[in-house]
Amino acid sequence: MKALFTLGLSEAAERLARGEITSEALTASCIRRIAAVEPRVQAWEWLDDTRALRLARSVDERRRAVREGGNAGAVDIALLPERGSLSGIPIGVKDIIETAGIRTGMGSPIYGEYVPRRDAPLLDRLAASGAFVLGKTVATEFAFMVPGKTRNPWNPDHSPGGSSSGSAAAVASGMVPGAIGTQTTGSVIRPAAYCGVVGYKPDKGLVSTEGMLPFSTTLDQPGVFARSVADAGLLASWLTQADGVISRQITELRSAPSVIALNSPVWHKADPAMRQRFAADLAAVRAGGATVTERELPPAFDDGFRAHRTIMLYEAARASKVVRQHHGLHLSRFLREALEEGDGIADEDYRRALVLRERLIESLGEFLDDRHEAILTPPTTGEAPALESTGDPAFCTLWSLCGVPAITIPTGFGPQRLPLGLQIVGRAGESNHLLGVAAWCESRMGFKGMLARV
């Protein structure tokens, strides 16, 4: 019998609902896995085993009370199979998301003693699913690009990506079946691809950003990590501000999709291994019956990268002004210089960047016309780099700028035996449909539920 820590989110939820396993047993298995691999991976910023096991036992006791007919107040647990509840599932949470009574460090010593009084609203939504916070996962400094302590589970000499480093690595190494992260440029998609898991960022605005460290309010977007598209969809479905926006059960499309294969405008940054992997992925979806049209974005999108950086650093500089006044010496030089660049951005340049963003959102909708369901493109420039870098987010920038849904699935390995993936980008307002497209693609790749051999 396979160890419980290897269970994906959906399978664990189903087995809990049927009474085949307990939350305490699942959580204990995850804790043992953490003890075995955390010294090598270093994915966690805060973890309390005793608290986690206490929360798991509480779920088990409530479930037993329902089955014995003695607790009408726990009726939500009686509806587990129908509602797709995550009751009793431990989840990792990126350490820039506020957790009541739990230290939230923002990847910086400045916040080393900060303990929020309340949970971020997205965690209120998580609690409504019955899941609980297992621990806080490592984030890079202020969720920007300076590497943290986390290592890639496939090879500790390589980066897990950033800024949701710990969330991606924890899921990839079997420490937790699902985790929550955030993305401003490529901080969900990139680490998921580097670590060989599914990373999913729904439409901007579907999941609340309140209670998250603000870096760029225009661009900040929560996302999730899991080991399959269905698991990512299940977790995301509970985090949305409105119920029913994302289905609890994600299934692949009944018919092959029509998609756009996109190389430009940063194709020159893709290394040979990524180019070969992308060609193989396109061949796989074509063999499955998908209609694949190769196109390039309109030239206006070339200016999107500068617009993204302008918006991001302008807003980050102003959001961090008070912190820098009092604690500037505790910031890394790299972050300090980026924020100083933001200080120098004129109001008029910022406003022009926002106007361009709106135009590009409209143009992307026209590009993804009624004949195409999604864009296929690389998620990264190649395999995970060495530890000195969190990697180049160029293949994610435009999708974060436009706020459209995006997902990456693992599809193979590069020459260093590190994971490579395929990014699938959807039309605005079609976060749920994108999951169906991704599930269809996933079934043609053969890497569902992959665990790093730590």
Side-chain angles (χ1 to χ4, degrees):
M1 182 180 295
K2 61 183 180 181
L4 295 184
F5 73 81
T6 65
L7 297 179
L9 205 65
S10 301
E11 184 180 0
E14 290 168 2
R15 293 187 64 180
L16 283 164
R18 293 193 296 264
E20 296 174 2
I21 63 173
T22 64
S23 177
E24 183 177 8
L26 173 63
T27 304
S29 182
C30 290
I31 289 171
R32 288 192 295 272
R33 178 66 171 174
I34 292 169
V37 303
E38 173 65 1
R40 180 179 170 94
V41 178
Q42 300 180 58
W44 298 92
E45 196 64 56
W46 182 92
L47 187 70
D48 185 334
D49 296 355
T50 301
R51 170 188 172 276
L53 290 169
R54 183 179 71 250
L55 291 173
R57 281 193 293 270
S58 176
V59 173
D60 291 334
E61 290 167 2
R62 287 159 55 206
R63 182 177 286 114
R64 280 194 295 271
V66 168
R67 287 179 177 144
E68 293 168 2
N71 189 352
V75 68
D76 60 314
I77 298 177
L79 302 176
L80 286 172
E82 290 78 12
R83 295 183 60 203
S85 170
L86 297 178
S87 190
I89 303 286
I91 299 293
V93 175
K94 185 177 182 178
D95 197 32
I96 69 162
I97 299 172
E98 293 186 339
T99 40
I102 298 174
R103 189 175 68 247
T104 301
M106 316 297 185
S108 169
I110 294 172
Y111 287 90
E113 302 304 320
Y114 175 53
V115 179
R117 294 181 179 179
R118 58 156 291 176
D119 285 332
L122 72 87
L123 296 184
D124 291 336
R125 300 289 299 163
L126 181 70
S129 77
F132 62 88
V133 177
L134 177 63
K136 302 299 289 290
T137 55
V138 172
T140 61
E141 179 190 32
F142 277 47
F144 197 49
M145 298 184 71
V146 176
K149 67 180 181 178
T150 308
R151 305 298 190 251
N152 192 299
W154 294 92
N155 185 330
D157 293 329
H158 288 260
S159 172
S163 61
S164 306
S165 311
S167 290
V171 173
S173 55
M175 298 192 217
V176 69
I180 300 171
T182 66
Q183 175 159 309
T184 304
T185 306
S187 295
V188 169
I189 299 297
R190 187 167 86 263
Y194 285 159
C195 292
V197 296
V198 174
Y200 173 52
K201 179 196 77 63
D203 277 281
K204 166 73 173 174
L206 285 191
V207 182
S208 173
T209 57
E210 183 184 347
M212 280 171 36
L213 174 72
F215 197 79
S216 171
T217 54
T218 299
L219 304 172
D220 296 340
Q221 299 157 61
V224 300
F225 298 85
R227 292 183 217 123
S228 72
V229 172
D231 288 355
L234 176 58
L235 179 54
S237 74
W238 281 101
L239 303 182
T240 58
Q241 298 188 73
D243 288 330
V245 179
I246 296 174
S247 301
R248 300 275 191 256
Q249 293 186 327
I250 301 298
T251 57
E252 65 178 90
L253 301 179
R254 292 182 179 180
S255 57
S258 176
V259 296
I260 294 173
L262 184 66
N263 297 341
S264 65
V266 288
W267 184 246
H268 62 281
K269 292 193 172 190
D271 66 22
M274 188 72 256
R275 294 181 184 217
Q276 292 170 13
R277 182 69 258 160
F278 188 55
D281 292 343
L282 294 183
V285 298
R286 280 191 173 107
T291 301
V292 181
T293 303
E294 297 189 24
R295 294 177 60 186
E296 294 188 0
L297 286 169
F301 281 88
D302 293 345
D303 297 327
F305 296 90
R306 170 50 57 185
H308 179 279
R309 187 169 182 86
T310 297
I311 294 168
M312 176 178 68
L313 295 185
Y314 178 95
E315 293 181 349
R318 283 144 187 84
S320 63
K321 187 175 181 179
V322 173
V323 170
R324 285 188 289 152
Q325 286 175 345
H326 295 280
H327 305 284
L329 294 177
H330 294 286
L331 298 176
S332 69
R333 179 179 176 181
F334 183 86
L335 177 59
R336 192 166 59 247
E337 290 178 350
L339 295 173
E340 288 169 356
E341 180 184 335
D343 288 329
I345 295 173
D347 294 348
E348 183 58 31
D349 290 336
Y350 170 66
R351 286 192 290 269
R352 278 197 292 266
L354 290 175
V355 170
L356 177 60
R357 174 178 177 267
E358 291 301 319
R359 288 207 302 266
L360 294 182
I361 290 171
E362 182 179 354
S363 181
L364 185 61
E366 295 169 353
F367 181 76
L368 258 174
D369 53 36
D370 292 340
R371 294 173 298 148
H372 302 102
E373 297 175 78
I375 293 170
L376 306 186
T377 192
T380 62
T381 60
E383 293 172 281
L387 291 171
E388 292 75 21
S389 169
T390 60
D392 187 338
F395 279 98
C396 307
T397 302
L398 294 177
W399 324 128
S400 291
L401 176 66
C402 293
V404 292
I407 190 168
T408 184
I409 59 174
T411 60
F413 292 93
Q416 300 179 85
R417 299 305 298 165
L418 291 166
L420 292 170
L422 175 68
Q423 182 174 199
I424 309 163
V425 180
R427 187 184 288 104
E430 295 191 357
S431 292
N432 195 60
H433 184 69
L434 176 65
L435 289 165
V437 176
W440 186 94
C441 293
E442 178 184 58
S443 69
R444 272 76 191 164
M445 301 302 171
F447 284 87
K448 183 177 178 179
M450 183 170 67
L451 273 176
R453 301 178 182 87
V454 184

